[in-house]
Structure formats: structure tokens, C-alpha cells
Amino acid sequence: MTRGDARGEVVKATYWIETPYELRRAAETMAGEQSTGTFVPVPGETPEVKARSGADIVRIEELEPAKAPSLPGAQPPKNADGLYRRGIVELEFPMHNFGPSIPNLMATIAGNLYELREFSGLRLLDVELPESFKRRYPGPKFGVEGTRRLAGVYGRPIIGTIVKPSIGLTVEELRLVVRELVEAGLDFIKDDELNANPTFAPLEDKVRVVMEEIERHADKTGKKAMYAFNITGDIDELRRNHDTVVRHGGTCVMVSIQSVGLAGLAYLNSFSEVPIHGHRNQWGMMTRCPALGMEFAAYQKLCRLAGADHLHVNALDSKFYESNESVIRSVEGVRTPLFGGYACMPVLSSGQSAATAESTYRRLGTYDLMNIAGGGIMAHPGGPASGVRSMQLAWEAAIGGLDREAFAAEHLELRQALDTFSK
């Protein structure tokens, strides 16, 4: 039973837990630790304080127990029976404890929970947020439609690539790479997460050189590629770096979300004049262990709330550990309206080529996404321009329901890509 109606707005957080204690005892520990309680009763924790600010247990669902702990450090009770009980626990926190603040929300729904010795596994599965967060955080300014408008791409995915080598190019070496990529007809190019503001290629110089090449090509063809400049840095650098990109005519900035934090992302979004490409590098250390961290379902809501216009979701049949089923859930999560909107474009990258377009479209059922291919474009036998063309043709066939093999027989670029990249 909860007291939500009496206490106004609440946040609901759902967890998977593993514990050597009874599930209710563990759930009570969670609720107390993340609201009014501590490890022993204290004089100030009166019934009135608990009624006003204590967390409530909404639901406990028992799952099959384990015979060994998933994580080290749990301390079983003296009368332990050797079982590690697993379950789903839903908690409800009164909003007035922390207000519409993402940093303070995180302290509440995550905080010290992961360090408690009552648990041998704990994972945040999802979070439900009240309307006050919508009033505080406006979310993506551009999303899918705004990004398409700036890129000039409709009716298919935005096709892009990543500058390689990831790091090490001087600005003049980068100029040649970008020249080749824009002439190949790419819609979108991005910096690698490793490459932000190296001392041998300062961001100011990098932006100037890249935009010279993009604008030169746009003057000739009318097509202006979107380049996501990695402006990740300390908080006091974000506005300066953003303004550098905008001053030179750039149409996208990128940040590593875990590096700048959700508060940093929200700060950038407060003044950004171009789409924010949200890179989730370091995500694996938060989620790869199934008994620890958080699910993407919760993470993507927070990123969208803070203003990410694009958000990485890995890709089907990628080089990473994540299963296709997990990627599909991630794409569906990003595309599910939040507060009736907060549209965000999923970014598929890793192991992508013309050979993956058909299965990607069939399994995802949408082309409102970015399809980022590195080797699938750059390593095409006919060169990058043929690589880009092969991606366009593959998606044309997929969206149109055409027989891919028959279509490839009529288009050399696609035929070569399928022969090269099909597994």
C-alpha cells in the first residue's frame, strides 16, 4: 500500500534484486536506505517523518532463487539457508524529497543501493517519472524531424560513418578524409568518442577545416553533410566548444554522456542551437553484468529528458556482446513517447553494412534511425562512394520489399557489398 495520493507526485522505480535475506526484508532495506532510514533507528525518524518522506514498497514479485551469489560482498544472515532469493521490487519515492532534479533523482533511485551488503545482485530496470520533470527538462530540441530537416534526408535512414583512424590525424590529414567522405555522398559523419580536443589537432582548427570541406561540397552539390563534432569536455568548456561549431556553420555536436554526466547534457541542451548526438561509451561498465547496473529502458529516459536528440543503441549482429533482442528493446524504448513526445533518433553502429539493412528493417520495422557504418563503407571494394551507394540501395530494397538478390544483380555496388560483407 502506498501513500502517493496523500503526498503528491511520486517516482516509481523497478528493480531486479538478489539477496540472501527474505525478499520483503531486502525491499524494506532498500526503501529505508534511500529515504528516511539508516542501519539503526535514529531519534529523528519519527512516524511523521516516515509518513512524509519514507519510500513505499509497491510490489514484490518472487523469482527462482540461486544457489550462489552473482556478486561478491553480500553478507548472509546468521540463519542463512544457502539460497539467494531473486525478485522484482517496485518502490515509490515522494517527489518532494528531491524535486525535479536528475542528479538528485539518481541519488535516490540508485545512490548507495549497489553497495549494501544485503544484496548479491541489484539492477535498476525502469523508472516512471511525474509531470514535474517535463516542466523542468524540455528534452530534445530537434529529435527525428529536426535532424532530418538539417540533413535533408527523408524516406530512409540517415546513413553515416565515423572518422577513422579514431585518433591521430592532423587537421590537414582530417581534411582529406572528410573531403573523401562528403564527396562519397554521406549524410552524416561523426568524430570517434576518442577524438575530442587533442593537442595536436585542437577543436577550433578541426571544426574550421571540416566545415571548409563540407561547405565547399555543399556549394557544388546543394547537399550539406551533418558532422557531429565531439565537444566533450569539462562543464566550462561545453558552451565554448558548442559556440565554435555553430560559428563555423556546423549542424551537430556530440558528447559522451557518461563523461559529462546527465547534468552536463542538460546544461548543454539549455543553450544548444543544433542537435546533440548522445554517445553512450562507458555504458558497458554500467550494464554488462546482468546482476548489476541498470537497464537501457531506464537510462534512455534520463538521456532523452536531459536533451539527447540522437542516442546510440548498438546494432543488430554487431561486434559487441549485446544480444539482438536487447538492441531491439533499446530501439523500441527510444521510439516510445515520453510525456507524449521527447522524440529521439536511435543510432545503430558497429558491424553495419549493406548486408545488414534488410534484417535490420525487418526486425525493427522503422527507418527513422541513423545507420552508421565504418568498415561497411570504407572497406567497400569500389571505395567509399560505392560503400555509401550500396547502403542506400540496400535500404531502398528493404523498404520497398524488393528481392535483394535480384536487385543486387542490377546494381554492382550492392552486389559487391553483399559478396564482401555477408556473413
Side-chain angles (χ1 to χ4, degrees), residues 110-181:
N112 288 328
L113 277 179
Y114 295 91
E115 301 172 53
L116 293 173
R117 63 189 181 188
E118 283 87 354
F119 298 94
S120 56
L122 195 147
R123 190 172 179 87
L124 176 64
L125 300 181
D126 205 352
V127 60
E128 296 180 33
L129 303 171
E131 287 285 325
S132 56
F133 274 94
K134 178 181 178 180
R135 294 190 290 271
R136 169 66 178 80
Y137 295 97
K141 293 178 179 176
F142 294 86
V144 176
E145 292 305 315
T147 299
R148 285 196 177 283
R149 185 182 71 252
L150 288 171
V153 177
Y154 298 92
R156 62 168 174 81
I158 292 176
I159 295 170
T161 195
I162 307 162
V163 171
K164 298 294 181 181
S166 303
I167 192 74
L169 296 176
T170 67
V171 290
E172 290 306 317
E173 289 169 334
L174 175 62
R175 179 194 296 277
L176 299 180
V177 171
V178 172
R179 180 180 299 169
E180 182 179 33
L181 294 177

Side-chain angles (χ1 to χ4, degrees), residues 79-251:
N79 59 344
D81 58 7
L83 289 180
Y84 289 82
R85 291 161 179 81
R86 291 174 170 178
I88 305 298
V89 173
E90 184 178 331
L91 300 182
E92 189 174 86
F93 302 94
M95 264 289 294
H96 59 229
N97 281 5
F98 44 87
S101 162
I102 292 178
N104 292 312
L105 168 73
M106 291 303 297
T108 298
I109 63 175
N112 288 328
L113 277 179
Y114 295 91
E115 301 172 53
L116 293 173
R117 63 189 181 188
E118 283 87 354
F119 298 94
S120 56
L122 195 147
R123 190 172 179 87
L124 176 64
L125 300 181
D126 205 352
V127 60
E128 296 180 33
L129 303 171
E131 287 285 325
S132 56
F133 274 94
K134 178 181 178 180
R135 294 190 290 271
R136 169 66 178 80
Y137 295 97
K141 293 178 179 176
F142 294 86
V144 176
E145 292 305 315
T147 299
R148 285 196 177 283
R149 185 182 71 252
L150 288 171
V153 177
Y154 298 92
R156 62 168 174 81
I158 292 176
I159 295 170
T161 195
I162 307 162
V163 171
K164 298 294 181 181
S166 303
I167 192 74
L169 296 176
T170 67
V171 290
E172 290 306 317
E173 289 169 334
L174 175 62
R175 179 194 296 277
L176 299 180
V177 171
V178 172
R179 180 180 299 169
E180 182 179 33
L181 294 177
V182 296
E183 289 179 354
L186 276 163
D187 307 319
F188 178 86
I189 308 166
K190 65 176 285 294
D191 281 332
D192 191 89
E193 67 272 14
L194 298 174
N195 191 345
N197 192 19
T199 57
F200 57 83
L203 181 67
E204 176 86 35
D205 295 340
K206 184 170 68 174
V207 173
R208 173 180 53 79
V209 164
V210 167
M211 291 312 302
E212 283 175 359
E213 294 301 321
I214 287 176
E215 297 289 8
R216 182 179 295 113
H217 184 74
D219 288 343
K220 291 191 299 182
T221 66
K223 180 179 177 61
K224 181 174 179 176
M226 176 177 282
Y227 192 109
F229 291 97
N230 185 0
I231 66 167
T232 303
D234 289 322
I235 296 298
D236 64 338
E237 296 178 286
L238 289 177
R239 184 184 288 272
R240 182 168 66 251
N241 291 348
H242 162 274
D243 291 351
T244 294
V245 173
V246 171
R247 185 173 67 253
H248 286 280
T251 56

Side-chain angles (χ1 to χ4, degrees), residues 318-347:
S318 76
K319 67 182 180 183
F320 296 127
Y321 80 93
E322 191 173 6
S323 69
N324 285 348
E325 290 70 26
S326 176
V327 173
I328 292 169
R329 288 196 303 271
S330 295
V331 173
E332 290 172 347
V334 170
R335 298 187 68 240
T336 300
L338 177 64
F339 298 126
Y342 288 69
C344 177
M345 180 168 277
V347 181

Side-chain angles (χ1 to χ4, degrees), residues 358 397 401-408:
E358 182 180 68
L402 307 178
D403 182 284
R404 189 176 72 171
E405 293 301 317
F407 197 59

Side-chain angles (χ1 to χ4, degrees), residues 253-275:
V253 294
M254 169 182 138
V255 288
S256 297
I257 297 173
Q258 272 70 260
S259 295
V260 303
L262 291 165
L265 175 59
Y267 169 68
L268 172 61
N269 190 48
S270 71
F271 57 79
S272 182
E273 299 176 28
V274 294

